[in-house]
Amino acid sequence: MVRLANTKTRVTAADIADSTNIPPGTLRHILDRLRRAHLVSAQPSRRGGFLLARPSDQITVLHIVEALEGSLEVSECPFGYGPCMQAGQCAVHATWESAWSALRGQLACCSVAGLANQKFGVVPANTLDDLKRAPTQTHKPTRAR
Protein backbone atom coordinates (compact mmCIF):
# COMPACT_ATOMS: atom_id res chain seq x y z
CA MET A 1 0.00 0.00 0.00
CA VAL A 2 2.90 2.34 0.75
CA ARG A 3 4.40 1.47 -2.63
CA LEU A 4 1.12 2.46 -4.30
CA ALA A 5 0.84 5.62 -2.22
CA ASN A 6 4.23 6.77 -3.48
CA THR A 7 3.18 6.82 -7.14
CA LYS A 8 0.50 8.44 -9.27
CA THR A 9 0.62 5.82 -12.04
CA ARG A 10 -0.52 2.22 -12.08
CA VAL A 11 2.02 -0.22 -10.70
CA THR A 12 2.23 -3.83 -11.87
CA ALA A 13 2.19 -6.69 -9.41
CA ALA A 14 5.67 -7.65 -10.64
CA ASP A 15 6.99 -4.17 -9.79
CA ILE A 16 5.41 -4.31 -6.34
CA ALA A 17 6.83 -7.79 -5.72
CA ASP A 18 10.31 -6.67 -6.81
CA SER A 19 10.31 -3.51 -4.69
CA THR A 20 8.89 -5.13 -1.53
CA ASN A 21 10.40 -8.63 -1.67
CA ILE A 22 6.93 -10.15 -1.33
CA PRO A 23 6.70 -13.45 -3.22
CA PRO A 24 4.49 -12.98 -6.33
CA GLY A 25 2.01 -15.71 -5.31
CA THR A 26 1.52 -14.18 -1.88
CA LEU A 27 1.22 -10.71 -3.39
CA ARG A 28 -1.54 -11.85 -5.76
CA HIS A 29 -3.61 -13.03 -2.76
CA ILE A 30 -2.96 -9.79 -0.87
CA LEU A 31 -3.86 -7.59 -3.84
CA ASP A 32 -7.01 -9.60 -4.48
CA ARG A 33 -8.18 -9.13 -0.89
CA LEU A 34 -7.34 -5.42 -1.00
CA ARG A 35 -9.24 -5.10 -4.29
CA ARG A 36 -12.31 -6.87 -2.85
CA ALA A 37 -12.18 -4.48 0.12
CA HIS A 38 -12.14 -1.53 -2.33
CA LEU A 39 -8.74 -0.35 -1.11
CA VAL A 40 -6.98 -0.83 -4.46
CA SER A 41 -8.25 -0.76 -8.00
CA ALA A 42 -6.94 -3.08 -10.67
CA GLN A 43 -6.81 -2.69 -14.41
CA PRO A 44 -5.87 -5.91 -16.14
CA SER A 45 -4.06 -5.28 -19.44
CA ARG A 46 -0.57 -4.89 -20.80
CA ARG A 47 -0.55 -1.32 -19.48
CA GLY A 48 -2.61 -2.13 -16.43
CA GLY A 49 -1.68 -2.43 -12.84
CA PHE A 50 -2.80 -1.32 -9.42
CA LEU A 51 -3.66 2.04 -7.83
CA LEU A 52 -5.05 3.01 -4.47
CA ALA A 53 -8.84 3.13 -4.75
CA ARG A 54 -9.01 6.34 -2.69
CA PRO A 55 -6.57 8.92 -1.35
CA SER A 56 -3.87 7.47 0.90
CA ASP A 57 -4.89 9.71 3.80
CA GLN A 58 -8.32 8.04 3.75
CA ILE A 59 -6.98 4.48 4.07
CA THR A 60 -5.93 3.39 7.54
CA VAL A 61 -3.85 0.47 8.69
CA LEU A 62 -7.04 -0.84 10.31
CA HIS A 63 -8.72 -0.95 6.87
CA ILE A 64 -5.79 -2.97 5.53
CA VAL A 65 -5.51 -5.37 8.47
CA GLU A 66 -9.24 -6.07 8.45
CA ALA A 67 -9.22 -6.59 4.66
CA LEU A 68 -6.48 -9.19 5.08
CA GLU A 69 -7.32 -10.76 8.44
CA GLY A 70 -11.00 -10.08 9.07
CA SER A 71 -12.67 -8.00 11.74
CA LEU A 72 -10.70 -7.10 14.85
CA GLU A 73 -13.86 -6.89 16.94
CA VAL A 74 -13.94 -9.01 20.08
CA SER A 75 -15.74 -12.13 19.00
CA GLU A 76 -13.61 -15.07 20.10
CA CYS A 77 -12.82 -16.21 23.61
CA PRO A 78 -9.14 -15.62 24.45
CA PHE A 79 -9.09 -19.11 25.98
CA GLY A 80 -10.21 -20.82 22.78
CA TYR A 81 -13.81 -21.56 23.76
CA GLY A 82 -15.23 -20.18 20.50
CA PRO A 83 -17.56 -17.20 20.16
CA CYS A 84 -17.64 -14.95 23.23
CA MET A 85 -21.07 -15.01 24.81
CA GLN A 86 -20.06 -14.39 28.40
CA ALA A 87 -19.71 -10.59 28.39
CA GLY A 88 -21.45 -10.19 31.75
CA GLN A 89 -19.97 -13.31 33.35
CA CYS A 90 -16.35 -13.56 32.23
CA ALA A 91 -13.71 -11.93 34.44
CA VAL A 92 -11.38 -11.39 31.47
CA HIS A 93 -13.92 -10.00 29.00
CA ALA A 94 -13.64 -6.31 29.91
CA THR A 95 -9.82 -6.39 29.80
CA TRP A 96 -9.82 -8.34 26.53
CA GLU A 97 -12.33 -5.95 24.96
CA SER A 98 -10.33 -2.94 26.15
CA ALA A 99 -7.12 -4.32 24.66
CA TRP A 100 -8.77 -4.99 21.29
CA SER A 101 -10.34 -1.53 21.37
CA ALA A 102 -6.94 0.06 21.99
CA LEU A 103 -5.41 -1.93 19.13
CA ARG A 104 -8.22 -0.94 16.75
CA GLY A 105 -7.87 2.70 17.81
CA GLN A 106 -4.13 2.73 17.21
CA LEU A 107 -4.47 1.11 13.78
CA ALA A 108 -7.30 3.48 12.84
CA CYS A 109 -5.09 6.50 13.63
CA CYS A 110 -2.37 5.47 11.20
CA SER A 111 -3.01 6.22 7.53
CA VAL A 112 -1.19 4.93 4.47
CA ALA A 113 -0.21 8.55 3.77
CA GLY A 114 1.42 8.72 7.20
CA LEU A 115 3.33 5.52 6.56
CA ALA A 116 4.38 6.70 3.10
CA ASN A 117 5.88 9.86 4.62
CA GLN A 118 8.09 7.91 7.03
CA LYS A 119 11.60 6.82 6.17
CA PHE A 120 12.15 3.11 6.63
CA GLY A 121 15.48 1.36 6.76
CA VAL A 122 15.79 -2.22 5.63
CA VAL A 123 17.14 -4.58 8.26
CA PRO A 124 19.17 -7.37 6.62
CA ALA A 125 17.72 -10.79 7.39
CA ASN A 126 20.95 -12.01 9.00
CA THR A 127 20.80 -9.08 11.46
CA LEU A 128 17.53 -10.40 12.86
CA ASP A 129 19.04 -13.87 13.25
CA ASP A 130 22.10 -12.35 14.99
CA LEU A 131 19.83 -10.50 17.43
CA LYS A 132 18.02 -13.72 18.31
CA ARG A 133 21.30 -15.53 19.03
CA ALA A 134 22.94 -12.69 20.95
CA PRO A 135 23.15 -13.28 24.68
CA THR A 136 20.98 -11.02 26.75
CA GLN A 137 23.05 -8.63 28.81
CA THR A 138 21.89 -7.95 32.31
CA HIS A 139 23.16 -5.04 34.26
CA LYS A 140 23.64 -5.46 37.97
CA PRO A 141 22.95 -2.37 39.98
CA THR A 142 26.02 -0.87 41.55
CA ARG A 143 26.05 -0.27 45.26
CA ALA A 144 26.75 3.16 46.57
CA ARG A 145 29.73 3.19 48.92
Side-chain angles (χ1 to χ4, degrees):
M1 295 296 282
V2 170
R3 171 69 173 89
L4 295 176
N6 285 327
T7 186
K8 300 287 186 218
T9 60
R10 292 192 180 277
V11 181
T12 67
D15 288 339
I16 296 170
D18 288 343
S19 66
T20 60
N21 294 321
I22 298 173
T26 302
L27 182 62
R28 277 192 295 275
H29 292 292
I30 291 170
L31 289 170
D32 187 52
R33 287 186 179 187
L34 294 172
R35 184 189 53 75
R36 284 185 286 171
H38 307 288
L39 298 177
V40 300
S41 63
Q43 181 177 357
S45 72
R46 291 183 74 191
R47 295 185 184 174
F50 296 88
L51 281 172
L52 293 180
R54 54 187 160 188
S56 60
D57 63 345
Q58 294 177 17
I59 301 172
T60 68
V61 175
L62 179 62
H63 292 132
I64 298 165
V65 169
E66 289 193 330
L68 299 176
E69 300 294 331
S71 175
L72 292 184
E73 295 290 335
V74 175
S75 61
E76 293 292 316
C77 173
F79 302 113
Y81 294 119
C84 179
M85 294 187 226
Q86 303 291 324
Q89 301 169 13
C90 175
V92 176
H93 184 84
T95 301
W96 190 243
E97 187 172 38
S98 178
W100 276 104
S101 178
L103 175 63
R104 286 179 52 80
Q106 190 66 36
L107 296 177
C109 288
C110 184
S111 71
V112 172
L115 292 176
N117 290 326
Q118 293 181 23
K119 303 293 183 212
F120 294 99
V122 177
V123 178
N126 62 345
T127 303
L128 295 175
D129 292 336
D130 292 343
L131 289 173
K132 290 176 187 174
R133 286 192 300 267
T136 306
Q137 293 183 359
T138 57
H139 299 283
K140 294 181 182 177
T142 57
R143 294 184 187 176
R145 293 184 183 190

